[in-house]
Amino acid sequence: MGRLAMFKHILVPTDGSALSEATAARAVSFAKEAGARITFFYAQPDFPMPIYGEGALIDPTTPEQFAKSAAAEAEGILSKAKQAADAAGVSADTDTLVNEVPYEAIIDAADRHGCDLIFMASHGRRGIAGLLLGSETQKVLTHSKTPVLVCR
């Protein structure tokens, strides 16, 4: 127990990738040992700007449809993480918001919820839907005043 007990509220950013789910599971064990609670956080992507020109994909999705499906994806990812915490008897909340700068969203979420630790994967999935956790983890480490535990 000892030093772990100093952490009471852990922010766990998740992007729904397998790596991210594994990190969430490790965060749950960590929180259980520390007697801490968790807030799982998902930064929803902002509507991607259409790219014009030759060979551009014409995306039929409207910003409203995009926002709706991003919110539904967030809900699914976060409820899965919360179920894992519930199953382990760890108190957990979820939070999500739309932000095109995920590392800022993560740091803001930690501040907003009064978290004393951010528990992150060292890298994540790539692509428009991904949180790009590699570079995001680097930026969180650089800018966060809250301690960050990076899970490999």
Side-chain angles (χ1 to χ4, degrees), residues 10 12-14 17-33 38 40 77 80-88 90 119-121 151:
I10 303 167
V12 183
T14 183
S17 63
L19 178 85
S20 190
E21 281 181 20
T23 303
R26 289 169 78 171
V28 166
S29 314
F30 182 90
K32 193 176 175 73
E33 242 178 274
I38 290 177
F40 291 106
I77 288 168
K80 195 169 175 184
K82 184 168 169 27
Q83 282 165 7
D86 291 346
V90 170
F119 195 110
M120 293 181 81
C151 180

PDB file of all heavy atoms in Angstrom, residues 10 12-14 17-33 38 40 77 80-88 90 119-121 151:
ATOM      1  N   ILE A  10      -7.841   8.977 -10.119  1.00  0.00           N
ATOM      2  CA  ILE A  10      -6.987   8.760 -11.289  1.00  0.00           C
ATOM      3  C   ILE A  10      -7.762   9.018 -12.577  1.00  0.00           C
ATOM      4  O   ILE A  10      -8.854   8.477 -12.770  1.00  0.00           O
ATOM      5  CB  ILE A  10      -6.455   7.309 -11.285  1.00  0.00           C
ATOM      6  CG1 ILE A  10      -5.700   7.038  -9.968  1.00  0.00           C
ATOM      7  CG2 ILE A  10      -5.556   7.053 -12.490  1.00  0.00           C
ATOM      8  CD1 ILE A  10      -5.412   5.577  -9.710  1.00  0.00           C
ATOM      9  N   VAL A  12      -8.008   8.277 -16.434  1.00  0.00           N
ATOM     10  CA  VAL A  12      -7.523   7.280 -17.382  1.00  0.00           C
ATOM     11  C   VAL A  12      -8.070   7.606 -18.774  1.00  0.00           C
ATOM     12  O   VAL A  12      -9.223   7.301 -19.078  1.00  0.00           O
ATOM     13  CB  VAL A  12      -7.941   5.848 -16.965  1.00  0.00           C
ATOM     14  CG1 VAL A  12      -7.355   4.814 -17.926  1.00  0.00           C
ATOM     15  CG2 VAL A  12      -7.509   5.553 -15.532  1.00  0.00           C
ATOM     16  N   PRO A  13      -7.257   8.272 -19.620  1.00  0.00           N
ATOM     17  CA  PRO A  13      -7.715   8.543 -20.982  1.00  0.00           C
ATOM     18  C   PRO A  13      -7.781   7.221 -21.754  1.00  0.00           C
ATOM     19  O   PRO A  13      -6.911   6.365 -21.592  1.00  0.00           O
ATOM     20  CB  PRO A  13      -6.617   9.436 -21.575  1.00  0.00           C
ATOM     21  CG  PRO A  13      -5.741   9.836 -20.428  1.00  0.00           C
ATOM     22  CD  PRO A  13      -5.905   8.792 -19.385  1.00  0.00           C
ATOM     23  N   THR A  14      -8.814   7.059 -22.558  1.00  0.00           N
ATOM     24  CA  THR A  14      -8.943   5.836 -23.342  1.00  0.00           C
ATOM     25  C   THR A  14      -9.401   6.186 -24.744  1.00  0.00           C
ATOM     26  O   THR A  14     -10.087   7.182 -24.946  1.00  0.00           O
ATOM     27  CB  THR A  14      -9.925   4.843 -22.659  1.00  0.00           C
ATOM     28  OG1 THR A  14      -9.969   3.641 -23.428  1.00  0.00           O
ATOM     29  CG2 THR A  14     -11.321   5.416 -22.512  1.00  0.00           C
ATOM     30  N   SER A  17      -8.877   1.500 -28.256  1.00  0.00           N
ATOM     31  CA  SER A  17      -7.989   0.534 -28.904  1.00  0.00           C
ATOM     32  C   SER A  17      -7.698  -0.602 -27.916  1.00  0.00           C
ATOM     33  O   SER A  17      -7.912  -0.470 -26.714  1.00  0.00           O
ATOM     34  CB  SER A  17      -6.678   1.209 -29.313  1.00  0.00           C
ATOM     35  OG  SER A  17      -5.997   1.681 -28.166  1.00  0.00           O
ATOM     36  N   ALA A  18      -7.176  -1.708 -28.436  1.00  0.00           N
ATOM     37  CA  ALA A  18      -6.838  -2.853 -27.580  1.00  0.00           C
ATOM     38  C   ALA A  18      -5.803  -2.445 -26.537  1.00  0.00           C
ATOM     39  O   ALA A  18      -5.910  -2.801 -25.366  1.00  0.00           O
ATOM     40  CB  ALA A  18      -6.329  -4.009 -28.431  1.00  0.00           C
ATOM     41  N   LEU A  19      -4.805  -1.656 -26.963  1.00  0.00           N
ATOM     42  CA  LEU A  19      -3.770  -1.203 -26.037  1.00  0.00           C
ATOM     43  C   LEU A  19      -4.380  -0.348 -24.930  1.00  0.00           C
ATOM     44  O   LEU A  19      -4.058  -0.484 -23.753  1.00  0.00           O
ATOM     45  CB  LEU A  19      -2.717  -0.374 -26.778  1.00  0.00           C
ATOM     46  CG  LEU A  19      -1.637   0.177 -25.839  1.00  0.00           C
ATOM     47  CD1 LEU A  19      -0.538  -0.842 -25.627  1.00  0.00           C
ATOM     48  CD2 LEU A  19      -1.067   1.465 -26.349  1.00  0.00           C
ATOM     49  N   SER A  20      -5.286   0.507 -25.333  1.00  0.00           N
ATOM     50  CA  SER A  20      -5.939   1.403 -24.403  1.00  0.00           C
ATOM     51  C   SER A  20      -6.799   0.616 -23.401  1.00  0.00           C
ATOM     52  O   SER A  20      -6.838   0.933 -22.216  1.00  0.00           O
ATOM     53  CB  SER A  20      -6.795   2.370 -25.226  1.00  0.00           C
ATOM     54  OG  SER A  20      -7.273   3.395 -24.432  1.00  0.00           O
ATOM     55  N   GLU A  21      -7.461  -0.429 -23.879  1.00  0.00           N
ATOM     56  CA  GLU A  21      -8.264  -1.273 -22.988  1.00  0.00           C
ATOM     57  C   GLU A  21      -7.374  -2.008 -21.988  1.00  0.00           C
ATOM     58  O   GLU A  21      -7.718  -2.145 -20.819  1.00  0.00           O
ATOM     59  CB  GLU A  21      -9.086  -2.278 -23.796  1.00  0.00           C
ATOM     60  CG  GLU A  21     -10.321  -1.643 -24.399  1.00  0.00           C
ATOM     61  CD  GLU A  21     -11.178  -2.632 -25.199  1.00  0.00           C
ATOM     62  OE1 GLU A  21     -11.040  -3.851 -24.996  1.00  0.00           O
ATOM     63  OE2 GLU A  21     -11.972  -2.158 -26.018  1.00  0.00           O
ATOM     64  N   ALA A  22      -6.207  -2.466 -22.467  1.00  0.00           N
ATOM     65  CA  ALA A  22      -5.260  -3.142 -21.573  1.00  0.00           C
ATOM     66  C   ALA A  22      -4.763  -2.166 -20.507  1.00  0.00           C
ATOM     67  O   ALA A  22      -4.633  -2.515 -19.335  1.00  0.00           O
ATOM     68  CB  ALA A  22      -4.090  -3.707 -22.375  1.00  0.00           C
ATOM     69  N   THR A  23      -4.513  -0.925 -20.919  1.00  0.00           N
ATOM     70  CA  THR A  23      -4.068   0.109 -19.977  1.00  0.00           C
ATOM     71  C   THR A  23      -5.158   0.404 -18.952  1.00  0.00           C
ATOM     72  O   THR A  23      -4.883   0.549 -17.758  1.00  0.00           O
ATOM     73  CB  THR A  23      -3.686   1.405 -20.733  1.00  0.00           C
ATOM     74  OG1 THR A  23      -2.677   1.074 -21.681  1.00  0.00           O
ATOM     75  CG2 THR A  23      -3.173   2.471 -19.789  1.00  0.00           C
ATOM     76  N   ALA A  24      -6.411   0.465 -19.423  1.00  0.00           N
ATOM     77  CA  ALA A  24      -7.538   0.697 -18.516  1.00  0.00           C
ATOM     78  C   ALA A  24      -7.618  -0.419 -17.475  1.00  0.00           C
ATOM     79  O   ALA A  24      -7.838  -0.158 -16.290  1.00  0.00           O
ATOM     80  CB  ALA A  24      -8.842   0.802 -19.303  1.00  0.00           C
ATOM     81  N   ALA A  25      -7.408  -1.656 -17.911  1.00  0.00           N
ATOM     82  CA  ALA A  25      -7.443  -2.798 -16.990  1.00  0.00           C
ATOM     83  C   ALA A  25      -6.333  -2.678 -15.941  1.00  0.00           C
ATOM     84  O   ALA A  25      -6.552  -2.940 -14.751  1.00  0.00           O
ATOM     85  CB  ALA A  25      -7.307  -4.107 -17.765  1.00  0.00           C
ATOM     86  N   ARG A  26      -5.151  -2.244 -16.380  1.00  0.00           N
ATOM     87  CA  ARG A  26      -4.044  -2.065 -15.435  1.00  0.00           C
ATOM     88  C   ARG A  26      -4.331  -0.912 -14.479  1.00  0.00           C
ATOM     89  O   ARG A  26      -3.979  -0.964 -13.301  1.00  0.00           O
ATOM     90  CB  ARG A  26      -2.734  -1.847 -16.189  1.00  0.00           C
ATOM     91  CG  ARG A  26      -2.275  -3.141 -16.857  1.00  0.00           C
ATOM     92  CD  ARG A  26      -1.144  -2.946 -17.814  1.00  0.00           C
ATOM     93  NE  ARG A  26       0.146  -2.804 -17.121  1.00  0.00           N
ATOM     94  CZ  ARG A  26       1.307  -2.796 -17.762  1.00  0.00           C
ATOM     95  NH1 ARG A  26       1.334  -2.907 -19.075  1.00  0.00           N
ATOM     96  NH2 ARG A  26       2.430  -2.658 -17.099  1.00  0.00           N
ATOM     97  N   ALA A  27      -4.970   0.126 -14.994  1.00  0.00           N
ATOM     98  CA  ALA A  27      -5.328   1.270 -14.145  1.00  0.00           C
ATOM     99  C   ALA A  27      -6.322   0.839 -13.064  1.00  0.00           C
ATOM    100  O   ALA A  27      -6.252   1.301 -11.928  1.00  0.00           O
ATOM    101  CB  ALA A  27      -5.921   2.386 -14.999  1.00  0.00           C
ATOM    102  N   VAL A  28      -7.246  -0.057 -13.436  1.00  0.00           N
ATOM    103  CA  VAL A  28      -8.241  -0.551 -12.473  1.00  0.00           C
ATOM    104  C   VAL A  28      -7.530  -1.307 -11.340  1.00  0.00           C
ATOM    105  O   VAL A  28      -7.819  -1.083 -10.164  1.00  0.00           O
ATOM    106  CB  VAL A  28      -9.303  -1.448 -13.173  1.00  0.00           C
ATOM    107  CG1 VAL A  28     -10.124  -2.228 -12.165  1.00  0.00           C
ATOM    108  CG2 VAL A  28     -10.219  -0.584 -14.048  1.00  0.00           C
ATOM    109  N   SER A  29      -6.559  -2.182 -11.682  1.00  0.00           N
ATOM    110  CA  SER A  29      -5.811  -2.911 -10.639  1.00  0.00           C
ATOM    111  C   SER A  29      -5.043  -1.936  -9.752  1.00  0.00           C
ATOM    112  O   SER A  29      -5.006  -2.083  -8.528  1.00  0.00           O
ATOM    113  CB  SER A  29      -4.789  -3.875 -11.251  1.00  0.00           C
ATOM    114  OG  SER A  29      -5.365  -4.611 -12.278  1.00  0.00           O
ATOM    115  N   PHE A  30      -4.425  -0.945 -10.399  1.00  0.00           N
ATOM    116  CA  PHE A  30      -3.659   0.061  -9.670  1.00  0.00           C
ATOM    117  C   PHE A  30      -4.564   0.820  -8.701  1.00  0.00           C
ATOM    118  O   PHE A  30      -4.239   1.009  -7.526  1.00  0.00           O
ATOM    119  CB  PHE A  30      -3.015   1.020 -10.682  1.00  0.00           C
ATOM    120  CG  PHE A  30      -2.158   2.093 -10.060  1.00  0.00           C
ATOM    121  CD1 PHE A  30      -0.796   1.879  -9.850  1.00  0.00           C
ATOM    122  CD2 PHE A  30      -2.695   3.320  -9.695  1.00  0.00           C
ATOM    123  CE1 PHE A  30       0.002   2.867  -9.279  1.00  0.00           C
ATOM    124  CE2 PHE A  30      -1.909   4.315  -9.121  1.00  0.00           C
ATOM    125  CZ  PHE A  30      -0.541   4.084  -8.914  1.00  0.00           C
ATOM    126  N   ALA A  31      -5.732   1.237  -9.202  1.00  0.00           N
ATOM    127  CA  ALA A  31      -6.682   2.000  -8.378  1.00  0.00           C
ATOM    128  C   ALA A  31      -7.185   1.154  -7.208  1.00  0.00           C
ATOM    129  O   ALA A  31      -7.344   1.654  -6.094  1.00  0.00           O
ATOM    130  CB  ALA A  31      -7.855   2.469  -9.236  1.00  0.00           C
ATOM    131  N   LYS A  32      -7.424  -0.129  -7.475  1.00  0.00           N
ATOM    132  CA  LYS A  32      -7.912  -1.024  -6.421  1.00  0.00           C
ATOM    133  C   LYS A  32      -6.883  -1.105  -5.300  1.00  0.00           C
ATOM    134  O   LYS A  32      -7.210  -0.987  -4.125  1.00  0.00           O
ATOM    135  CB  LYS A  32      -8.201  -2.408  -7.011  1.00  0.00           C
ATOM    136  CG  LYS A  32      -8.990  -3.312  -6.074  1.00  0.00           C
ATOM    137  CD  LYS A  32      -9.318  -4.621  -6.754  1.00  0.00           C
ATOM    138  CE  LYS A  32     -10.004  -5.589  -5.829  1.00  0.00           C
ATOM    139  NZ  LYS A  32     -11.394  -5.205  -5.558  1.00  0.00           N
ATOM    140  N   GLU A  33      -5.611  -1.265  -5.682  1.00  0.00           N
ATOM    141  CA  GLU A  33      -4.530  -1.344  -4.696  1.00  0.00           C
ATOM    142  C   GLU A  33      -4.373  -0.034  -3.933  1.00  0.00           C
ATOM    143  O   GLU A  33      -4.084  -0.038  -2.745  1.00  0.00           O
ATOM    144  CB  GLU A  33      -3.216  -1.645  -5.410  1.00  0.00           C
ATOM    145  CG  GLU A  33      -2.593  -2.949  -4.987  1.00  0.00           C
ATOM    146  CD  GLU A  33      -1.321  -3.206  -5.752  1.00  0.00           C
ATOM    147  OE1 GLU A  33      -1.406  -3.767  -6.857  1.00  0.00           O
ATOM    148  OE2 GLU A  33      -0.253  -2.822  -5.235  1.00  0.00           O
ATOM    149  N   ILE A  38     -11.554   6.197 -10.205  1.00  0.00           N
ATOM    150  CA  ILE A  38     -11.116   6.476 -11.568  1.00  0.00           C
ATOM    151  C   ILE A  38     -12.140   7.340 -12.294  1.00  0.00           C
ATOM    152  O   ILE A  38     -13.343   7.172 -12.095  1.00  0.00           O
ATOM    153  CB  ILE A  38     -10.949   5.154 -12.362  1.00  0.00           C
ATOM    154  CG1 ILE A  38      -9.752   4.360 -11.843  1.00  0.00           C
ATOM    155  CG2 ILE A  38     -10.807   5.403 -13.865  1.00  0.00           C
ATOM    156  CD1 ILE A  38      -9.562   3.015 -12.538  1.00  0.00           C
ATOM    157  N   PHE A  40     -12.671   7.697 -16.284  1.00  0.00           N
ATOM    158  CA  PHE A  40     -12.244   7.350 -17.636  1.00  0.00           C
ATOM    159  C   PHE A  40     -12.620   8.514 -18.539  1.00  0.00           C
ATOM    160  O   PHE A  40     -13.733   9.030 -18.457  1.00  0.00           O
ATOM    161  CB  PHE A  40     -12.944   6.076 -18.123  1.00  0.00           C
ATOM    162  CG  PHE A  40     -12.502   4.840 -17.399  1.00  0.00           C
ATOM    163  CD1 PHE A  40     -13.325   4.231 -16.462  1.00  0.00           C
ATOM    164  CD2 PHE A  40     -11.255   4.271 -17.644  1.00  0.00           C
ATOM    165  CE1 PHE A  40     -12.921   3.089 -15.786  1.00  0.00           C
ATOM    166  CE2 PHE A  40     -10.839   3.125 -16.981  1.00  0.00           C
ATOM    167  CZ  PHE A  40     -11.675   2.525 -16.055  1.00  0.00           C
ATOM    168  N   ILE A  77     -17.230   3.032 -25.622  1.00  0.00           N
ATOM    169  CA  ILE A  77     -15.869   2.846 -25.109  1.00  0.00           C
ATOM    170  C   ILE A  77     -15.831   3.068 -23.599  1.00  0.00           C
ATOM    171  O   ILE A  77     -15.257   2.285 -22.846  1.00  0.00           O
ATOM    172  CB  ILE A  77     -14.901   3.816 -25.829  1.00  0.00           C
ATOM    173  CG1 ILE A  77     -14.690   3.342 -27.277  1.00  0.00           C
ATOM    174  CG2 ILE A  77     -13.566   3.926 -25.097  1.00  0.00           C
ATOM    175  CD1 ILE A  77     -14.000   4.365 -28.171  1.00  0.00           C
ATOM    176  N   LYS A  80     -17.726   0.374 -21.433  1.00  0.00           N
ATOM    177  CA  LYS A  80     -16.938  -0.862 -21.345  1.00  0.00           C
ATOM    178  C   LYS A  80     -15.859  -0.729 -20.263  1.00  0.00           C
ATOM    179  O   LYS A  80     -15.657  -1.636 -19.454  1.00  0.00           O
ATOM    180  CB  LYS A  80     -16.305  -1.140 -22.707  1.00  0.00           C
ATOM    181  CG  LYS A  80     -15.759  -2.529 -22.875  1.00  0.00           C
ATOM    182  CD  LYS A  80     -15.405  -2.770 -24.333  1.00  0.00           C
ATOM    183  CE  LYS A  80     -14.742  -4.123 -24.510  1.00  0.00           C
ATOM    184  NZ  LYS A  80     -14.313  -4.341 -25.886  1.00  0.00           N
ATOM    185  N   ALA A  81     -15.180   0.424 -20.245  1.00  0.00           N
ATOM    186  CA  ALA A  81     -14.145   0.671 -19.240  1.00  0.00           C
ATOM    187  C   ALA A  81     -14.753   0.706 -17.839  1.00  0.00           C
ATOM    188  O   ALA A  81     -14.213   0.126 -16.899  1.00  0.00           O
ATOM    189  CB  ALA A  81     -13.420   1.979 -19.547  1.00  0.00           C
ATOM    190  N   LYS A  82     -15.900   1.356 -17.721  1.00  0.00           N
ATOM    191  CA  LYS A  82     -16.567   1.460 -16.411  1.00  0.00           C
ATOM    192  C   LYS A  82     -16.995   0.084 -15.906  1.00  0.00           C
ATOM    193  O   LYS A  82     -16.898  -0.202 -14.715  1.00  0.00           O
ATOM    194  CB  LYS A  82     -17.761   2.413 -16.487  1.00  0.00           C
ATOM    195  CG  LYS A  82     -18.422   2.607 -15.108  1.00  0.00           C
ATOM    196  CD  LYS A  82     -19.404   3.742 -15.113  1.00  0.00           C
ATOM    197  CE  LYS A  82     -20.282   3.826 -13.888  1.00  0.00           C
ATOM    198  NZ  LYS A  82     -19.758   3.283 -12.632  1.00  0.00           N
ATOM    199  N   GLN A  83     -17.480  -0.768 -16.817  1.00  0.00           N
ATOM    200  CA  GLN A  83     -17.879  -2.128 -16.415  1.00  0.00           C
ATOM    201  C   GLN A  83     -16.697  -2.883 -15.814  1.00  0.00           C
ATOM    202  O   GLN A  83     -16.862  -3.613 -14.837  1.00  0.00           O
ATOM    203  CB  GLN A  83     -18.432  -2.907 -17.613  1.00  0.00           C
ATOM    204  CG  GLN A  83     -19.865  -2.523 -17.964  1.00  0.00           C
ATOM    205  CD  GLN A  83     -20.283  -3.018 -19.343  1.00  0.00           C
ATOM    206  OE1 GLN A  83     -19.566  -3.765 -20.003  1.00  0.00           O
ATOM    207  NE2 GLN A  83     -21.457  -2.580 -19.792  1.00  0.00           N
ATOM    208  N   ALA A  84     -15.504  -2.703 -16.406  1.00  0.00           N
ATOM    209  CA  ALA A  84     -14.305  -3.372 -15.887  1.00  0.00           C
ATOM    210  C   ALA A  84     -14.003  -2.893 -14.471  1.00  0.00           C
ATOM    211  O   ALA A  84     -13.656  -3.687 -13.588  1.00  0.00           O
ATOM    212  CB  ALA A  84     -13.116  -3.116 -16.807  1.00  0.00           C
ATOM    213  N   ALA A  85     -14.160  -1.588 -14.234  1.00  0.00           N
ATOM    214  CA  ALA A  85     -13.926  -1.035 -12.899  1.00  0.00           C
ATOM    215  C   ALA A  85     -14.989  -1.548 -11.918  1.00  0.00           C
ATOM    216  O   ALA A  85     -14.666  -1.978 -10.809  1.00  0.00           O
ATOM    217  CB  ALA A  85     -13.936   0.491 -12.947  1.00  0.00           C
ATOM    218  N   ASP A  86     -16.258  -1.517 -12.350  1.00  0.00           N
ATOM    219  CA  ASP A  86     -17.354  -2.010 -11.501  1.00  0.00           C
ATOM    220  C   ASP A  86     -17.109  -3.457 -11.085  1.00  0.00           C
ATOM    221  O   ASP A  86     -17.293  -3.824  -9.928  1.00  0.00           O
ATOM    222  CB  ASP A  86     -18.702  -1.915 -12.244  1.00  0.00           C
ATOM    223  CG  ASP A  86     -19.149  -0.463 -12.445  1.00  0.00           C
ATOM    224  OD1 ASP A  86     -18.578   0.442 -11.793  1.00  0.00           O
ATOM    225  OD2 ASP A  86     -20.067  -0.235 -13.258  1.00  0.00           O
ATOM    226  N   ALA A  87     -16.682  -4.271 -12.057  1.00  0.00           N
ATOM    227  CA  ALA A  87     -16.445  -5.693 -11.798  1.00  0.00           C
ATOM    228  C   ALA A  87     -15.345  -5.888 -10.752  1.00  0.00           C
ATOM    229  O   ALA A  87     -15.372  -6.846  -9.984  1.00  0.00           O
ATOM    230  CB  ALA A  87     -16.078  -6.417 -13.092  1.00  0.00           C
ATOM    231  N   ALA A  88     -14.387  -4.958 -10.712  1.00  0.00           N
ATOM    232  CA  ALA A  88     -13.279  -5.059  -9.756  1.00  0.00           C
ATOM    233  C   ALA A  88     -13.607  -4.347  -8.441  1.00  0.00           C
ATOM    234  O   ALA A  88     -12.785  -4.311  -7.534  1.00  0.00           O
ATOM    235  CB  ALA A  88     -12.017  -4.473 -10.372  1.00  0.00           C
ATOM    236  N   VAL A  90     -14.069  -1.116  -8.136  1.00  0.00           N
ATOM    237  CA  VAL A  90     -13.422   0.197  -8.119  1.00  0.00           C
ATOM    238  C   VAL A  90     -14.443   1.252  -8.557  1.00  0.00           C
ATOM    239  O   VAL A  90     -15.112   1.089  -9.572  1.00  0.00           O
ATOM    240  CB  VAL A  90     -12.187   0.225  -9.060  1.00  0.00           C
ATOM    241  CG1 VAL A  90     -11.655   1.645  -9.228  1.00  0.00           C
ATOM    242  CG2 VAL A  90     -11.104  -0.696  -8.537  1.00  0.00           C
ATOM    243  N   PHE A 119      -3.135   8.294 -15.759  1.00  0.00           N
ATOM    244  CA  PHE A 119      -2.600   6.959 -16.042  1.00  0.00           C
ATOM    245  C   PHE A 119      -2.785   6.704 -17.530  1.00  0.00           C
ATOM    246  O   PHE A 119      -3.908   6.567 -17.996  1.00  0.00           O
ATOM    247  CB  PHE A 119      -3.399   5.939 -15.212  1.00  0.00           C
ATOM    248  CG  PHE A 119      -2.779   4.574 -15.099  1.00  0.00           C
ATOM    249  CD1 PHE A 119      -2.248   4.134 -13.892  1.00  0.00           C
ATOM    250  CD2 PHE A 119      -2.766   3.691 -16.183  1.00  0.00           C
ATOM    251  CE1 PHE A 119      -1.709   2.854 -13.761  1.00  0.00           C
ATOM    252  CE2 PHE A 119      -2.227   2.420 -16.066  1.00  0.00           C
ATOM    253  CZ  PHE A 119      -1.695   1.995 -14.857  1.00  0.00           C
ATOM    254  N   MET A 120      -1.688   6.684 -18.310  1.00  0.00           N
ATOM    255  CA  MET A 120      -1.780   6.619 -19.779  1.00  0.00           C
ATOM    256  C   MET A 120      -0.951   5.508 -20.384  1.00  0.00           C
ATOM    257  O   MET A 120       0.054   5.105 -19.811  1.00  0.00           O
ATOM    258  CB  MET A 120      -1.268   7.918 -20.401  1.00  0.00           C
ATOM    259  CG  MET A 120      -2.096   9.132 -20.139  1.00  0.00           C
ATOM    260  SD  MET A 120      -1.391  10.591 -20.967  1.00  0.00           S
ATOM    261  CE  MET A 120      -2.006  10.369 -22.645  1.00  0.00           C
ATOM    262  N   ALA A 121      -1.355   5.081 -21.577  1.00  0.00           N
ATOM    263  CA  ALA A 121      -0.535   4.168 -22.365  1.00  0.00           C
ATOM    264  C   ALA A 121       0.603   4.963 -22.992  1.00  0.00           C
ATOM    265  O   ALA A 121       0.476   6.163 -23.226  1.00  0.00           O
ATOM    266  CB  ALA A 121      -1.374   3.519 -23.460  1.00  0.00           C
ATOM    267  N   CYS A 151       2.186   3.797 -18.878  1.00  0.00           N
ATOM    268  CA  CYS A 151       2.130   2.342 -18.848  1.00  0.00           C
ATOM    269  C   CYS A 151       2.601   1.797 -20.194  1.00  0.00           C
ATOM    270  O   CYS A 151       2.034   2.155 -21.219  1.00  0.00           O
ATOM    271  CB  CYS A 151       0.664   1.993 -18.590  1.00  0.00           C
ATOM    272  SG  CYS A 151       0.348   0.273 -18.498  1.00  0.00           S
TER     273      CYS A 151
END
